[in-house]
């Protein structure tokens, strides 16, 4: 069995290198070189040399397989993307989902000289009555999914989807009388989602749907971010946890009948994986469970390294680009950590509770075993996933062990209860409704704990400063030393050193702001605007919207909580465009906002109504401004200028001038040059030190008149990827001619200015 491990590990490593690092043209030469080099080792006797030859052969196979796979599957798909829009006939492979604009559906694209690839098709229609097995025709414009550009494109390609298409309309050309049998998992998944939505109360149905099927689209706004901060995001990404619950139930029901358990278990586990979308994480869990079930029947002992490496190789052979899937990396890292440390930790802790008879001791020991088992499993899973999370998301959850300990029992009950309710939904509707009401309570417990813990200032740390990054590297290094020399080093020493280092890093990170009269942080929210002002323990946020990878409300809450605060004195919205206000719901869910200041315009605007309603529900006072107003906080004062125009949200925009001593900051929202000239004419603007450039650097903002009147020393532009050309070259030229130092969030991230 270990021979397989010696082949699988270097083969998988080679595929990772081929996908993530090596240029495409290197794959075949490098693979042939490794193959030839392995032949040299085969001429020598001895186990080490033969192992080296097997490892080189595995690396050669991985490189050659990746190159061949790309030639066979990716190259034809990309060739299609280079052609102009054309009429094609497509086969639907899943049910459509609602997209930002129109609907999206997975389809199979026929190619004459290559295997038919799967693609994601965006349809510019309000609804689409499609189901798996349907055939449709449409004029489609194709684009290639690139691995390294991030977002959905990278995720799709990591699942072997190399094409994204768009069509204005479609024609349904063929609908089978029954959905083909091969699409039964998709049909089951849709049925489960409908049953859960119908049988569970509205406040938990989205969470139960995500837990059972992996579909997070029905989660309430901001809930997934709360799971991430609390260290529970893994429960709504169907993986080994869910398959383990399912396998445990089967073992309980079928007892020691190994053959029956293996047959039923494998069929059920792989059907469940297909219904959950065959994501890399759930496939990993299904294959591992299959190895576990088959090992006794084949008279083989379970070999964890071999099983893990073989499963990884199987997934990568199916689609080499899955190597870039973060979910796959986190899934295997979690299992590797559990295999390495969970057993020894659990055994060591259980020695503290020796078996005894009589009294309540057996009950106490059983409770202790549950606590120790949950904690050991959580710590094992975090061992290797934590550095990956820090690398990809620049964040580390400190509350993860506690949250998992408090909720895993309820997650198990909710998952099994949700699955039972979904299965019974169409057969026993009344009984399934009762099940939904009953199992809603453990779901509510999970949600309550998650939301309560995620709101704490240091539930999760954003590794945005060199001090916190240094703390993480030091703490993780000490953890590895403790695991390596656990018999020589007492745990209290590295744990204590980590806590002291963390406190120091937090203090050093917050010290510039705590020691200053005013700090101004232009937050990186993509194409949007959000500016945090902090003075002597008081904070005001101007705008909270953007199109970045993270919700702008989370970005603002993270920045606030990194200062040890969970309260905003005031939130100012210059106007009700999404790129200035879409993050407010998440912000209100995470921090207390005492006062909301908005322009008294557009009373029928849906976003205004949503935000003011949420503010009222959270106990936040709302003030509508039609005249100028002044707000004081700490050593700073902020003057809010009422709208100077009408005819649109940009013209009816608030402006803000913040002053602390001799330091002045001006924010003009999305005012154009006409409104800026009115601002200069009717308001007494001083010379300023910092200008937050209007309208994300539009060519119609930051006029020469404004620059001449305020003479800013520096300007910060809050922008991200956009189709508008922001920041415009004309605007950058005006700032340069005015002698401004220019700072941009799209290249520098969040930018902080400090006045002492």
């Amino acid at each position: 069995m270990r021979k397989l491990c010696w082949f699988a590990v270097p083969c998988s490593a080679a595929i990772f290198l081929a996908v993530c690092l090596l240029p495409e043209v290197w794959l075949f030469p490098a693979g042939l070189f490794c193959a030839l080099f392995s032949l040299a080792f085969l001429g020598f006797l001895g186990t080490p040399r033969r192992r080296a030859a097997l490892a080189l052969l595995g690396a050669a196979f991985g490189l050659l397989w990746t190159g061949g796979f790309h030639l066979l599957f990716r190259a034809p798909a990309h060739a299609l993307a280079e052609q102009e829009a054309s009429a094609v006939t497509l086969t639907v492979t899943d049910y459509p989902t609602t997209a930002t604009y129109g609907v999206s559906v997975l389809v199979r694209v026929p190619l004459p000289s290559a295997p038919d690839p799967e693609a994601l098709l965006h349809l510019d229609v309000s609804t689409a009555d499609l189901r798996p097995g349907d055939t449709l025709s449409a004029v489609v414009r194709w684009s290639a999914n690139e691995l390294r550009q991030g977002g959905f494109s990278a995720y799709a390609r990591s699942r072997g989807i190399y094409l994204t298409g768009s069509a204005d309309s479609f024609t349904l050309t063929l609908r089978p009388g029954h959905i083909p049998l091969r699409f039964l998992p998709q049909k089951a998944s849709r049925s489960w989602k409908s049953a859960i939505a119908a049988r569970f109360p509205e406040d938990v149905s989205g969470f139960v749907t995500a837990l059972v099927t992996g579909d997070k689209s029905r989660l309430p706004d901001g809930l997934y971010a709360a799971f991430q901060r609390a260290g529970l995001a893994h429960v709504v990404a169907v993986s080994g946890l869910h398959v383990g619950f399912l396998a445990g139930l089967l073992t309980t029901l079928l007892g020691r009948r190994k053959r029956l358990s293996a047959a039923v278990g494998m069929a059920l586990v792989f059907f469940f994986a297909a219904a959950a979308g065959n994501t890399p994480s759930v496939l990993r869990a299904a294959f591992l469970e299959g190895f576990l079930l088959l090992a006794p029947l084949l008279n083989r002992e379970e070999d964890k390294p071999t099983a893990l490496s073989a499963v990884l190789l199987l997934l990568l052979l199916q689609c080499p680009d899955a190597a870039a899937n973060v979910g796959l990396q986190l899934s295997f890292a979690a299992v590797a950590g559990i295999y390495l440390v969970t057993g020894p930790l659990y055994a060591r802790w259980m020695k503290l509770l020796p078996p005894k008879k009589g009294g309540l001791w057996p009950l106490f020991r059983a409770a202790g075993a549950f606590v120790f088992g949950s904690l050991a499993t959580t710590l094992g899973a975090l061992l290797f996933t934590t550095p990956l999370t820090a690398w990809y998301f620049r964040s580390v959850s400190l509350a993860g062990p506690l949250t998992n300990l408090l909720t895993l029992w309820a997650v198990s009950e909710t998952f099994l209860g949700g699955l039972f309710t979904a299965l019974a939904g169409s057969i026993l509707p009344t009984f399934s409704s009762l099940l939904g009401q009953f199992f809603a309570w453990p779901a509510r417990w999970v949600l309550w704990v998650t939301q309560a813990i995620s709101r704490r200032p240091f539930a999760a740390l954003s590794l945005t400063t060199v001090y916190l990054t240094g703390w993480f590297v030091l703490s993780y290094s000490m953890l590895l030393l403790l695991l390596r020399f656990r018999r020589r080093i007492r745990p209290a020493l590295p744990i204590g050193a980590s806590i002291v280092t963390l406190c120091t890093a937090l203090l050093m990170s917050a010290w510039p702001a705590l020691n200053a009269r005013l700090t101004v942080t232009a937050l990186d929210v993509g194409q949007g605007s959000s500016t945090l002002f902090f003075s002597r323990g008081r904070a005001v946020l101007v705008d909270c919207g953007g199109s970045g990878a993270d919700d702008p409300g989370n970005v603002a809450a993270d920045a606030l909580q990194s200062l040890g605060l969970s309260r905003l004195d005031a939130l100012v919205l210059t106007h009700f465009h999404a790129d200035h206000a879409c993050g407010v719901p998440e912000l209100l869910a995470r921090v207390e906002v005492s006062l909301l200041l908005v322009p008294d315009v557009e009373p029928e605007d849906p976003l205004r109504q949503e935000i003011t309603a949420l503010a009222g529900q959270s106990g936040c006072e709302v003030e509508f401004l039609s005249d100028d107003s002044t707000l004081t906080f700490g050593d700073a004062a902020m003057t809010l200028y009422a709208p100077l125009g009408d005819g649109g949200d940009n013209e009816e925009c608030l402006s803000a001038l913040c002053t602390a001593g001799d330091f002045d900051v001006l924010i003009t929202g999305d005012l154009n040059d006409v409104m800026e000239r009115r601002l200069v004419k009717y308001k007494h603007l001083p010379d300023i030190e910092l200008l937050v450039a209007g309208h994300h650097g539009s060519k119609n903002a930051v006029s020469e008149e404004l620059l001449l009147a305020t003479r800013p020393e520096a300007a910060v532009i809050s922008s991200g990827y956009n189709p508008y050309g922001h920041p415009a070259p004309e605007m950058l030229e005006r700032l340069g001619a005015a002698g401004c130092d220019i700072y941009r969030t799209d290249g520098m991230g969040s930018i902080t200015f400090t006045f002492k």
Side-chain angles (χ1 to χ4, degrees), residues 536-547:
R536 307 302 186 195
R538 310 287 291 276
V540 172
L541 183 69
V542 177
D543 285 334
C544 186
S547 60

Side-chain angles (χ1 to χ4, degrees), residues 132-155:
D134 288 351
T135 301
L136 61 87
S137 61
V139 177
V140 182
R141 301 172 295 276
W142 297 109
S143 61
N145 292 327
E146 296 297 335
L147 186 63
R148 293 181 177 86
Q149 75 181 54
F152 173 79
S153 178
Y155 171 76

Side-chain angles (χ1 to χ4, degrees), residues 464-751:
T464 53
T465 68
V466 65
Y467 306 109
L468 289 172
T469 303
W471 160 78
F472 175 75
V473 173
L474 177 63
S475 297
Y476 199 74
S477 300
M478 289 191 296
L479 174 62
L480 294 179
L481 287 174
L482 178 61
L483 292 174
R484 176 65 180 83
F485 303 103
R486 56 182 177 270
R487 296 183 179 180
R488 303 180 189 177
I489 302 176
R490 293 184 177 180
L493 180 62
I495 292 174
S498 178
I499 293 174
V500 171
T501 307
L502 174 59
C503 294
T504 304
L506 290 171
L507 181 61
M508 295 297 292
S509 299
W511 183 254
L514 297 174
N515 198 39
R517 296 185 68 179
L518 178 67
T519 61
V520 183
T521 301
L523 299 172
D524 181 14
V525 290
Q527 179 68 6
S529 182
S530 187
T531 309
L532 180 64
F533 294 80
F534 178 81
S535 178
R536 307 302 186 195
R538 310 287 291 276
V540 172
L541 183 69
V542 177
D543 285 334
C544 186
S547 60
D550 295 327
D551 187 288
N554 280 321
V555 175
D558 287 343
L560 184 68
Q561 292 180 340
S562 69
L563 300 171
L565 300 177
S566 294
R567 176 179 173 274
L568 268 176
D569 290 273
L571 168 62
V572 179
L573 298 181
T574 57
H575 59 300
F576 295 105
H577 278 176
D579 59 346
H580 289 254
C582 67
V584 175
E586 177 61 18
L587 180 70
L588 291 172
R590 281 192 52 184
V591 301
E592 177 188 350
V593 179
S594 299
L595 177 63
L596 173 63
L597 297 159
V598 296
D600 191 12
V601 297
E602 299 285 345
E604 303 301 321
D605 183 277
L607 187 55
R608 165 177 163 159
Q609 294 178 348
E610 177 189 1
I611 288 173
T612 53
L614 289 173
Q617 294 171 11
S618 64
C620 172
E621 180 184 351
V622 181
E623 185 174 339
F624 298 96
L625 298 181
S626 55
D627 298 307
D628 295 351
S629 179
T630 301
L631 174 70
T632 59
F633 59 103
D635 288 345
M638 181 177 290
T639 301
L640 300 175
Y641 299 118
L644 294 169
D646 53 38
D649 286 349
N650 288 349
E651 288 75 17
E652 298 175 334
C653 182
L654 293 178
S655 303
L657 176 69
C658 186
T659 301
D662 298 328
F663 187 81
D664 298 285
V665 185
L666 179 64
I667 297 179
T668 59
D670 278 355
L671 293 184
N672 58 26
D673 51 358
V674 175
M675 294 299 107
E676 287 178 351
R677 285 192 284 272
R678 291 187 186 179
L679 186 66
V680 170
K681 180 178 180 179
Y682 296 112
K683 310 299 177 184
H684 300 289
L685 298 179
D687 289 353
I688 64 175
E689 281 63 46
L690 177 63
L691 172 68
V692 179
H695 207 176
H696 322 290
S698 164
K699 66 179 181 180
N700 296 321
V702 192
S703 61
E704 291 185 3
E705 290 84 352
L706 180 67
L707 293 173
L708 287 172
T710 58
R711 302 182 182 277
E713 297 178 9
V716 60
I717 304 170
S718 180
S719 64
Y721 172 78
N722 66 88
Y724 315 112
H726 298 164
E730 304 95 314
M731 189 276 309
L732 293 173
E733 289 179 5
R734 290 195 293 270
L735 287 176
C740 287
D741 296 328
I742 301 175
Y743 302 86
R744 295 172 53 170
T745 60
D746 58 350
M748 304 171 68
S750 297
I751 306 168

Side-chain angles (χ1 to χ4, degrees), residues 351-376:
K351 290 180 181 179
L352 303 174
L353 300 173
K356 298 179 182 178
K357 295 182 179 180
L360 296 176
W361 180 255
L363 183 61
F364 178 75
R365 191 174 188 273
F370 170 79
V371 172
F372 289 155
S374 299
L375 189 58

